[in-house]
Amino acid sequence: MVRKIAVNVARLVIAMTFILSGFVKAVDPLGTQYKIVDYLKAMQLGTFVPDFLTLTASVLLSAVEFGLGICMLFAIRRRLVSLLALCMMIPMTALTLWLAVANPVTDCGCFGDAVTLTNWQTFTKNVVLLGCVAIVRYRPLDMMRFVSKTNQWIVTNYSMLFIFAVSAWSLYDLPQFDFRPYHVGTNILKGMEIPEGAEMPTFETTYLMEKDGKRQTFDIDHYPDSTWTLIEANTRQLTKGYEPPIHDFYINDIETGEDITMQLLEQKGYLFLLVTPHLGSADDSQFDRINELYEYSRDHGYRFYGLTASDEKAIGQWRDMTGAEYTFCQSDETVLKTIIRSNPGLLLLKDGTIVRKWSHNNLPQLDEEQANKSLEQLDIGHLPKDTTPRKILDIVLWYMLPLFLLTIADRLWAWSKWMKRKEETNKIFKLLRKKKMRKKIVAGNWKMNLNLQDGVALAKELNEALAADKPNCDVIICTPFIHLASVAQVLDANVIGLGAENCADKEKGAYTGEVSAEMVKSTGAQYVILGHSERRQYYSETPEILKEKVQLALKNGLKVIFCIGETLEEREANKQNEVVKAELEGSVFNLSEEEFRNIVIAYEPIWAIGTGKTATAEQAEEIHAYIRSIVAEKYGATVADDTTILYGGSCKASNAPELFAKPDIDGGLIGGASLKCADFKGIIDAWKK
């Protein structure tokens, strides 16, 4: 009990961590891509891996983490999932140890921007997770399932569809959850404030400039004149101190180099900022709509600026390509990527507060009536109504609620199945069900006995005796081939069924001495015995041969009495269960459910056939119950309950009542005792006792 509790607690810790980590990465795949690029740069591999590969890796990483978390939560493919989790955590723990020691990247990004951990905190977290994974991997089957095995595919497929949809939507539009300092509703000025008395960090901004083919770096105090061309600007922190949420945001006038950040943010009213970290890789498919918004802002007196980290050459190319008339300003590339996950993306600020964000795929489109209204009169001029609680509710309704309902329905179904199993283990119920549903059969196997005249005479005698004293079960006699046609003429098919003792494994052809299933059927027989131990032993009939015989018999409309059973050596080695299972799997478990319903199973302990030895009623019931259970595993409980299983092993009138009283014994396949009318009828009459 303690072990199972430990495994399931560890499983839940892993599941919740992986789900959270995978989801926040899927919500912000570009942010995860930027972090992957940081890792590659730290490993000196940044120039070798193209952007599409890092973005693909970002999406796949989030899907793998989320998928493993869901599978761990619902205990799906427990052995495989625990192994995959271990294979993932070992290199991840080693990687975070390197991060903690070398500190090439300040934030591992394992929870995106939702939760920021130091590298040592990340390493500690991974050590704990690795320990949890090791516990789960040691005893994966101790994880309790929340959804049955048959319904697990719904959970995995739905979860993968959901997480890929989240990533796709976040790439097309914007992340549904914005954990960064520049989320909608943030006042940038307040985000930059430093409390009174706080220790101040220091930063240095440098500018790479070019003039007459010569490049030189300047700081803000030595910014050159306008004859120099700005190549790029970089800001780095010199000393640590209190770091406000927004600490590296700036807007520089490209022409003068002047910092106009406060000038723009402190002015009252609306401000459009078109954010394009790299103009060379910016999507230009919506430039017409951008220009329309610029014209709208100009007509209504709103300020509109482009922010970029690109140089003046790239800005000129953008203007030539799009016809842009708005002013461009310089800002830090990393900051711009942090502000909005779109290139380009559009921000609307009012009094320094971010009111709206749009990706280039979802820019607002104003009709003629809206274009004549001010932003105060339009919805886009106000904070959106889709608050974080509303977004969380959407996630619950679209993902968690369906899975919760599936789990409840599945557990109710599992409970009803458990109740049904409990009910069916009740001996009284099983007896009643058996008597109601399954056929009771006593079948005689004459083997190689009786000439034609004696066989016909015995058939007549049996027919008269049973016609006069109706049996409480179905009766079948299986005779040698030579008797079939003649015996069929003297039997009343409503009283006694007729069967053959064998048939060929070939349909027709040059097989001297063989009798096909079609020939057997043509005599008037309805049954055929296949797989008898004597055929297996003396004529080397293999499971493959018997499989062919069964198929041909069923094809020709014969019902099959299929024999299985173990030798004395196998019984003494306690291998009887695996023997009978292998014989069924080898020859009849390939059948469809509809075909299998024409199979009658006859269990014959080989050590009790013709030896005078008989399995005790308890031994016979035990193996019959096992046979029924493996039929249930293959075809379901309903088919198993309907399958007639006969006992064949020195069954006599004296022991038949005790054997037939067992709930899983549905009659007998009788050998020597079927050659005399009185003996055979004594066994048949056991069903009346």
Side-chain angles (χ1 to χ4, degrees):
M1 177 60 74
V2 173
R3 184 193 70 206
K4 288 189 176 182
I5 292 174
V7 169
N8 283 281
V9 168
R11 159 262 197 107
L12 292 176
V13 170
I14 299 164
M16 292 298 101
T17 305
F18 276 32
I19 290 170
L20 175 61
S21 178
F23 181 74
V24 296
K25 287 184 176 70
V27 163
D28 187 12
L30 285 177
T32 307
Q33 180 193 21
Y34 299 153
K35 187 57 64 176
I36 292 173
V37 171
D38 288 343
Y39 280 122
L40 292 173
K41 288 180 178 178
M43 299 174 186
Q44 309 300 317
L45 298 173
T47 58
F48 301 103
V49 184
D51 287 345
F52 81 90
L53 281 181
T54 54
L55 182 58
T56 301
S58 166
V59 173
L60 291 179
L61 178 61
S62 65
V64 167
E65 282 192 298
F66 187 83
L68 283 176
I70 291 296
C71 288
M72 191 72 74
L73 178 63
F74 285 90
I76 296 170
R77 301 294 299 273
R78 293 172 288 187
R79 289 190 181 92
L80 176 61
V81 167
S82 61
L83 177 61
L84 291 176
L86 183 63
C87 292
M88 185 174 183
M89 286 309 306
I90 290 174
M92 284 294 183
T93 305
L95 176 64
T96 52
L97 177 60
W98 171 66
L99 290 177
V101 173
N103 198 35
V105 179
T106 56
D107 172 24
C108 75
C110 53
F111 295 113
D113 292 297
V115 180
T116 302
L117 301 176
T118 67
N119 287 337
W120 279 111
Q121 288 172 335
T122 302
F123 173 67
T124 303
K125 176 211 63 168
N126 280 359
V127 169
V128 172
L129 282 179
L130 183 60
C132 291
V133 170
I135 292 172
V136 171
R137 179 58 191 160
Y138 176 64
R139 300 291 297 189
L141 298 185
D142 282 347
M143 286 190 283
M144 180 182 67
R145 283 197 176 109
F146 289 158
V147 174
S148 62
K149 195 172 182 180
T150 54
N151 286 329
Q152 289 177 351
W153 67 272
I154 302 176
V155 176
T156 52
N157 290 340
Y158 183 62
S159 298
M160 288 298 97
L161 178 65
F162 170 79
I163 203 65
F164 279 121
V166 168
S167 292
W169 181 255
S170 298
L171 287 171
Y172 178 81
D173 191 4
L174 292 174
Q176 292 298 298
F177 297 92
D178 192 346
F179 302 108
R180 299 179 302 281
Y182 300 92
H183 57 78
V184 172
T186 296
N187 185 283
I188 296 179
L189 286 173
K190 289 185 178 179
M192 298 169 66
E193 290 179 354
I194 298 176
E196 186 177 348
E199 183 181 349
M200 300 292 291
T202 59
F203 300 92
E204 179 185 61
T205 301
T206 57
Y207 306 91
L208 179 63
M209 312 291 286
E210 184 177 39
K211 180 179 179 180
D212 300 331
K214 178 183 177 182
R215 292 192 176 190
Q216 187 173 340
T217 301
F218 299 90
D219 60 27
I220 191 67
D221 295 326
H222 300 89
Y223 198 86
D225 58 40
S226 60
T227 60
W228 289 80
T229 301
L230 177 67
I231 303 301
E232 66 178 5
N234 290 294
T235 300
R236 67 187 183 94
Q237 185 174 345
L238 299 177
T239 61
K240 290 186 177 181
Y242 172 78
E243 192 171 84
I246 299 175
H247 57 270
D248 47 8
F249 178 76
Y250 67 88
I251 302 174
N252 282 350
D253 188 309
I254 290 180
E255 293 183 0
T256 66
E258 180 185 357
D259 187 335
I260 60 173
T261 308
M262 304 308 292
Q263 175 187 333
L264 292 180
L265 294 179
E266 288 178 348
Q267 287 184 11
K268 298 296 182 182
Y270 288 100
L271 168 64
F272 283 100
L273 293 177
L274 181 70
V275 178
T276 53
H278 276 296
L279 285 169
S281 58
D283 190 304
D284 60 359
S285 62
Q286 300 296 328
F287 70 85
D288 283 340
R289 191 172 294 182
I290 295 172
N291 290 340
E292 288 172 3
L293 289 168
Y294 167 68
E295 291 171 4
Y296 168 81
S297 68
R298 184 187 59 192
D299 293 344
H300 289 271
Y302 305 132
R303 294 161 297 158
F304 193 112
Y305 290 89
L307 296 186
T308 185
S310 298
D311 57 22
E312 292 185 29
K313 181 180 178 181
I315 294 172
Q317 290 175 341
W318 176 264
R319 282 179 171 150
D320 292 340
M321 181 173 56
T322 65
E325 298 178 1
Y326 38 86
T327 301
F328 271 97
C329 294
Q330 197 87 30
S331 194
D332 183 76
E333 175 187 343
T334 302
V335 173
L336 295 180
K337 288 180 177 180
T338 304
I339 290 173
I340 191 166
R341 301 301 199 205
S342 181
N343 186 24
L346 184 64
L347 268 70
L348 177 62
L349 282 71
K350 183 182 181 183
D351 303 335
T353 297
I354 300 174
V355 176
R356 294 277 178 155
K357 282 186 180 185
W358 298 281
S359 80
H360 64 272
N361 289 316
N362 199 24
L363 292 169
Q365 188 170 14
L366 304 178
D367 58 30
E368 186 175 346
E369 181 182 354
Q370 292 172 324
N372 292 322
K373 293 181 178 181
S374 67
L375 285 171
E376 288 286 0
Q377 297 173 296
L378 299 176
D379 284 342
I380 64 170
H382 303 274
L383 289 169
K385 297 177 182 178
D386 56 338
T387 60
T388 298
R390 174 61 186 270
K391 292 177 181 178
I392 294 173
L393 179 61
D394 288 342
I395 296 296
V396 169
L397 291 177
W398 282 102
Y399 179 69
M400 297 176 65
L401 182 60
L403 286 188
F404 176 75
L405 293 177
L406 171 66
T407 302
I408 295 298
D410 185 86
R411 290 301 87 198
L412 288 173
W413 175 248
W415 178 78
S416 66
K417 288 173 66 178
W418 178 81
M419 289 296 292
K420 185 177 180 181
R421 285 196 302 270
K422 292 294 289 183
E423 189 178 42
E424 292 183 358
T425 55
N426 183 282
K427 292 183 178 180
I428 297 175
F429 177 83
K430 288 181 73 176
L431 277 169
L432 292 174
R433 185 174 178 84
K434 169 190 166 184
K435 292 178 181 296
K436 179 181 178 181
M437 298 185 66
R438 287 197 294 273
K439 279 188 176 183
K440 302 170 289 184
I441 296 175
V442 175
N445 177 16
W446 288 3
K447 304 188 180 183
M448 196 175 72
N449 293 295
L450 305 176
N451 60 33
L452 178 59
Q453 292 74 24
D454 290 342
V456 172
L458 176 58
K460 284 183 179 180
E461 185 180 4
L462 281 169
N463 194 78
E464 292 170 0
L466 296 178
D469 186 10
K470 298 290 184 183
N472 282 1
C473 64
D474 288 355
V475 177
I476 304 166
I477 54 173
C478 298
T479 76
F481 294 130
I482 194 174
H483 296 78
L484 289 174
S486 299
V487 168
Q489 300 300 316
V490 301
L491 290 182
D492 181 349
N494 294 320
V495 177
I496 302 178
L498 179 62
E501 297 174 12
N502 185 32
C503 71
D505 62 335
K506 301 292 188 295
E507 199 162 7
K508 60 177 63 178
Y511 302 103
T512 303
E514 291 296 299
V515 177
S516 70
E518 182 184 12
M519 294 174 181
V520 171
K521 182 67 176 178
S522 69
T523 66
Q526 303 99 40
Y527 293 85
V528 60
I529 298 174
L530 295 175
H532 196 282
S533 59
E534 292 160 358
R535 297 291 310 177
R536 295 176 191 262
Q537 180 181 357
Y538 303 142
Y539 301 99
S540 303
E541 291 190 354
T542 65
E544 283 301 318
I545 291 174
L546 292 173
K547 183 187 291 186
E548 292 297 323
K549 290 188 175 188
V550 169
Q551 292 280 13
L552 288 171
L554 295 178
K555 179 181 177 181
N556 285 279
L558 294 170
K559 294 186 177 181
V560 176
I561 300 173
F562 190 77
C563 301
I564 57 176
E566 78 282 359
T567 63
L568 181 59
E569 292 78 8
E570 290 165 339
R571 164 64 71 162
E572 289 176 344
N574 200 31
K575 292 183 178 180
Q576 62 273 15
N577 286 1
E578 57 187 272
V579 169
V580 297
K581 184 177 184 180
E583 289 175 336
L584 289 171
E585 290 178 336
S587 303
V588 296
F589 273 3
N590 60 296
L591 302 175
S592 67
E593 178 181 324
E594 183 179 357
E595 291 172 327
F596 188 81
R597 287 183 176 276
N598 292 299
I599 302 293
V600 174
I601 298 174
Y603 166 68
E604 44 164 15
I606 299 172
W607 48 274
I609 299 175
T611 63
K613 294 181 179 179
T614 308
T616 66
E618 288 71 25
Q619 286 176 318
E621 166 61 18
E622 181 182 8
I623 191 73
H624 276 237
Y626 172 73
I627 293 167
R628 200 174 306 283
S629 73
I630 58 177
V631 173
E633 287 179 9
K634 175 66 178 176
Y635 295 104
T638 301
V639 174
D641 288 338
D642 292 345
T643 300
T644 298
I645 305 177
L646 308 180
Y647 174 75
S650 297
C651 183
K652 304 179 285 290
S654 59
N655 60 17
E658 183 182 8
L659 288 167
F660 295 172
K662 295 299 181 183
D664 285 297
I665 298 177
D666 305 311
L669 177 60
I670 314 303
S674 67
L675 298 174
K676 294 183 179 179
C677 180
D679 294 343
F680 194 45
K681 190 173 182 303
I683 297 171
I684 295 167
D685 288 343
W687 282 113
K688 294 184 178 181
K689 297 180 181 180

